Amino acid sequence: RTIGIGAFYVVELANYYGLSLGWLNIEKSVDDTLRLRVTLLAVAWALKDLCYAAWSSQPQRAAKAADALLALSQRRQRDSAAAATPRHTEIEALAEWTAGIACVTRGRLTDAVQSFDRAHETFARLGQDHHAAATQVPRIMALSLLGQYDEAIACADSAPVS
């Protein structure tokens, strides 16, 4: 995903400076709406990665990344409603996933489980089964910390095997 987004911007930059890329040349430039959506998605994934990288050693940093992603998601929802454009549900799923991590770092384990469930449902609805499954890993931990061992085991047992 990151490589694809990076490649998109390399092509855009080359086109901007008038470099010939053969079959990769994009006539005029990519629509601003598409550019904005790709950029927002790249920022959302970067914030999710930052949250994950920090949650076990720098919980405050993880929570700030999650809060920033939630603000991005909420802003995107408001902008979509105002412009009558489709919402970006992948960003919403990422926001729920990181909100769950932030809840874990803040000791709000029940809220964390609910956030992981919402992220799982959204990713599954988008057909992103790998990401849906990945949201269940921290959910298992939160359930275990809540003492809900049977549910944690059931969640682990239902995980797809690659």
Side-chain angles (χ1 to χ4, degrees), residues 27-79:
E27 215 167 293
K28 297 218 173 185
S29 194
V30 172
D31 178 86
D32 285 342
T33 304
L34 176 61
R35 184 179 294 110
L36 176 63
R37 289 177 63 86
V38 169
T39 301
L40 290 174
L41 188 57
V43 168
W45 277 100
L47 287 169
K48 179 266 183 194
D49 291 343
L50 178 63
C51 178
Y52 248 72
W55 80 292
S56 63
S57 60
Q58 297 174 305
Q60 296 86 0
R61 187 174 184 185
K64 286 180 182 180
D67 292 344
L69 185 46
L70 179 62
L72 175 69
S73 175
Q74 290 171 340
R75 174 67 189 261
R76 184 70 190 130
Q77 288 174 20
R78 280 194 311 272
D79 291 351

Side-chain angles (χ1 to χ4, degrees), residues 44 47-48 51-52 55 59 62-71 73-74 91-119 123 135 138-139 142:
L47 287 169
K48 179 266 183 194
C51 178
Y52 248 72
W55 80 292
K64 286 180 182 180
D67 292 344
L69 185 46
L70 179 62
S73 175
Q74 290 171 340
I91 292 175
E92 293 170 23
L94 290 166
E96 286 291 350
W97 192 358
T98 59
I101 296 297
C103 287
V104 168
T105 68
R106 294 171 175 149
R108 295 179 13 224
L109 300 174
T110 301
D111 292 338
V113 170
Q114 293 169 350
S115 287
F116 296 137
D117 286 344
R118 286 189 296 269
F123 278 125
T135 65
R139 181 179 186 268

